[in-house]
């Protein structure tokens, strides 16, 4: 720093500044994320203390003292000390395929694999073409034919014996695939200028939303047959599928309606000025934008519907959660129900986490060029 005294200038250096804090690297990331203030530092220490307290017993129970083999005597000896994963090895096929005949369980395995493959393919934008709808119809026909049998030497297996993972996949996929176009129609119907259509859609959505899914399943399973003509019988699986589809459609319709209302009215007015018809406006302008806005909410509804399939146990359909209770009815393995439930929970977690990650990818992919940087 320069100072002037009379006719002479003297240079006095200022005190050296501290070097800037390093804002890159692992340690800087830890400081910024976990120790950037007193409160955050305290929470980090408390959380680390909880981990130190909880991880050792969890590790000992799940891995160190666990019994991986289907040895009932060893599992009983280690009960309370380590997990008995042998119950999964012993009852795994019963959990995954329910009461389906043991020697025919390759059929639900193949049917489930084909259905999961189509689900994966349907998630890729490259395959979003009209032919995909045809593929879904063909795969469902293949699924039902292979599971039911009665042709080409395959023994007939009634739907009452379907269960486990194939039933969960079937209930979830059908209720979602069929409910989605129905939900779009309901959402458009609620905004229709025609009072009859608008009233009908409002009554349906509000009625379904105001009753729990269990009540819908009871009505579909036990009350609906009372109104059928004499001698007419509808399979309980079909009735449950219809009930779950209508229930999911009502919730999806409200999600999609939220996306429709988020669009500026000027876009529709501009489309009208171009001479586009109602359905052309909805198909080319309104729905692509509205659905893109509500992708997270739609996937959230999908995840909820997937987990709601566990409620079908109350109408005597043994999905994945019902099958695990069926499998643990064996007195020798009954006390290891926690391991069985954890196995089923892991399957649900993998499926739901995959849907969640796909939602994030889809949201990022569709909002390219419009999202905030």
């Amino acid at each position: 720093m320069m100072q002037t005294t009379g006719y002479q200038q003297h240079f006095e250096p200022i005190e050296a500044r501290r070097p800037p804090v390093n804002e890159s690297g692992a340690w800087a990331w830890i400081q910024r994320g976990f120790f950037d203030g007193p409160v955050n530092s305290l929470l980090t220490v408390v959380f680390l203390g909880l981990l130190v307290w909880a991880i050792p017993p969890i590790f000992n129970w799940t891995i160190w003292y666990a019994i991986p083999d289907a040895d009932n005597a060893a599992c009983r000896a280690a009960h309370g000390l380590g997990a008995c994963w042998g119950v999964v090895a012993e009852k795994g096929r019963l959990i995954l395929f329910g009461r389906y005949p043991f020697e025919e369980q390759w059929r639900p395995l193949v049917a489930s694999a084909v259905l999961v493959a189509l689900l994966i393919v349907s998630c890729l934008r490259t395959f979003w073409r009209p032919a995909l709808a045809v593929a879904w119809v063909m795969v469902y026909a293949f699924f039902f034919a292979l599971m039911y049998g009665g042709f080409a030497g395959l023994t007939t297996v009634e739907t009452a014996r379907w269960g486990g993972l194939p039933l969960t996949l079937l209930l979830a996929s059908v209720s979602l695939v069929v409910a989605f176009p129905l939900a779009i129609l309901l959402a458009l119907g609620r905004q229709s200028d025609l009072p009859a259509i608008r009233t009908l859609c409002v009554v349906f959505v509000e009625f379904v939303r105001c009753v729990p899914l269990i009540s819908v399943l009871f009505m579909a399973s036990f009350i609906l047959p009372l109104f059928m003509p004499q001698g007419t019988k509808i399979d309980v699986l079909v009735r449950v599928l219809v009930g779950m589809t209508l229930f999911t459609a009502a919730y999806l319709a409200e999600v999609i309606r939220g996306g429709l209302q988020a669009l500026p009215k000027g876009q529709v007015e501009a489309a009208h000025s171009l001479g586009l018809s109602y359905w052309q406006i909805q198909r080319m302008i309104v729905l692509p934008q509205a659905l893109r806005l509500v992708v997270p909410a739609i996937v959230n509804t999908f995840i909820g519907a997937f987990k709601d399939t566990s409620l079908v146990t109350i109408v005597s359909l043994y999905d994945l959660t019902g099958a695990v209770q069926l499998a643990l009815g064996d007195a020798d393995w009954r006390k290891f129900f926690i391991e069985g439930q954890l196995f089923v929970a892991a399957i649900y977690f993998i499926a739901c986490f995959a849907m969640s990650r796909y939602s994030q990818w889809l949201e990022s992919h569709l909002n390219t060029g419009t999202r905030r940087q």
Side-chain angles (χ1 to χ4, degrees):
M1 183 172 62
M2 301 296 293
Q3 291 184 348
T4 302
T5 57
Y7 296 99
Q8 295 181 346
Q9 292 184 338
H10 301 281
F11 176 77
E12 295 182 1
I14 61 175
E15 185 178 357
R17 299 177 181 175
R18 299 181 60 184
V21 178
N22 185 15
E23 297 183 352
S24 61
W27 178 242
W29 177 80
I30 292 174
Q31 285 183 311
R32 187 170 58 252
F34 302 98
F35 299 99
D36 63 340
V39 176
N40 199 9
S41 300
L42 178 61
L43 291 176
T44 301
V45 172
V46 171
F47 182 71
L48 289 176
L50 289 175
L51 288 180
V52 171
W53 172 75
I55 286 181
I58 293 176
F59 176 80
N60 290 334
W61 188 80
T62 56
I63 298 176
W64 193 253
Y65 296 110
I67 306 297
D69 302 322
D71 187 343
N72 188 262
C75 287
R76 287 179 177 275
H79 184 59
L81 186 63
C84 175
W85 301 120
V87 68
V88 177
E90 178 69 20
K91 301 293 182 181
R93 292 182 65 169
L94 184 56
I95 295 173
L96 290 177
F97 302 117
R99 297 182 298 170
Y100 207 87
F102 188 83
E103 64 279 3
E104 300 286 340
Q105 287 181 352
W106 64 270
R107 290 159 57 181
L109 177 62
V110 173
S112 300
V114 172
L115 187 56
V116 171
L118 183 60
L119 283 169
I120 295 174
V121 167
S122 301
C123 292
L124 304 177
R125 192 172 184 177
T126 307
F127 298 96
W128 293 355
R129 302 180 185 282
L132 187 60
V134 179
W136 273 103
V137 174
M138 294 177 64
V139 166
Y140 277 134
F142 172 78
F143 187 96
F144 277 94
L146 187 60
M147 291 285 288
Y148 192 79
F151 68 98
L154 299 176
T155 57
T156 301
V157 180
E158 299 292 336
T159 56
R161 301 196 63 180
W162 298 10
L165 184 60
L167 182 61
T168 298
L169 292 174
L170 178 67
L171 292 171
S173 62
V174 170
S175 61
L176 295 177
V177 171
V178 180
F180 190 69
L182 181 59
I184 292 177
L185 294 178
L186 286 171
L188 294 175
R190 289 202 67 164
Q191 294 192 323
S192 174
D193 296 330
L194 303 176
I197 294 178
R198 186 173 63 250
T199 303
L200 182 64
C201 294
V202 169
V203 170
F204 172 79
V205 171
E206 296 302 330
F207 173 76
V208 174
R209 290 174 65 198
C210 293
V211 295
L213 178 57
I214 291 178
S215 299
V216 175
L217 294 177
F218 265 114
M219 286 188 288
S221 300
F222 302 112
I223 298 179
L224 181 62
L226 300 178
F227 298 95
M228 299 301 294
Q230 188 72 22
T232 302
K233 182 179 179 181
I234 301 178
D235 192 275
V236 63
L237 177 59
V238 176
R239 283 178 269 155
V240 168
L241 283 172
V242 172
M244 293 193 65
T245 300
L246 297 179
F247 189 84
T248 306
Y251 278 85
L252 267 180
E254 287 302 282
V255 172
I256 295 173
R257 189 168 68 90
L260 295 176
Q261 290 182 336
L263 294 182
K265 191 177 180 180
Q267 293 197 25
V268 178
E269 294 173 347
H272 277 300
S273 68
L274 294 175
L276 298 179
S277 66
Y278 173 81
W279 289 110
Q280 286 176 326
I281 295 173
Q282 303 303 325
R283 181 170 58 86
M284 294 188 294
I285 296 176
V286 174
L287 286 177
Q289 298 182 77
L291 295 178
R292 188 180 62 187
L293 291 174
V294 294
V295 165
I298 289 176
V299 176
N300 192 43
T301 305
F302 282 3
I303 292 175
F306 178 72
K307 292 188 293 186
D308 283 345
T309 57
S310 59
L311 295 177
V312 300
T313 306
I314 63 171
V315 293
S316 302
L317 288 178
Y318 295 95
D319 73 316
L320 206 52
T321 55
V324 71
Q325 296 177 12
L326 195 66
L328 296 177
D330 188 342
D332 292 335
W333 299 95
R334 187 175 301 163
K335 63 169 53 179
F336 309 110
F337 68 95
I338 293 178
E339 290 85 342
Q341 295 290 351
L342 287 176
F343 175 66
V344 172
I347 296 175
Y348 274 99
F349 176 80
I350 292 172
C352 294
F353 185 71
M355 284 191 279
S356 176
R357 298 302 299 176
Y358 175 70
S359 168
Q360 294 181 15
W361 174 84
L362 187 63
E363 185 181 1
S364 174
H365 185 69
L366 294 181
N367 288 336
T368 301
T370 59
R371 64 176 181 269
R372 295 180 178 178
Q373 300 296 326

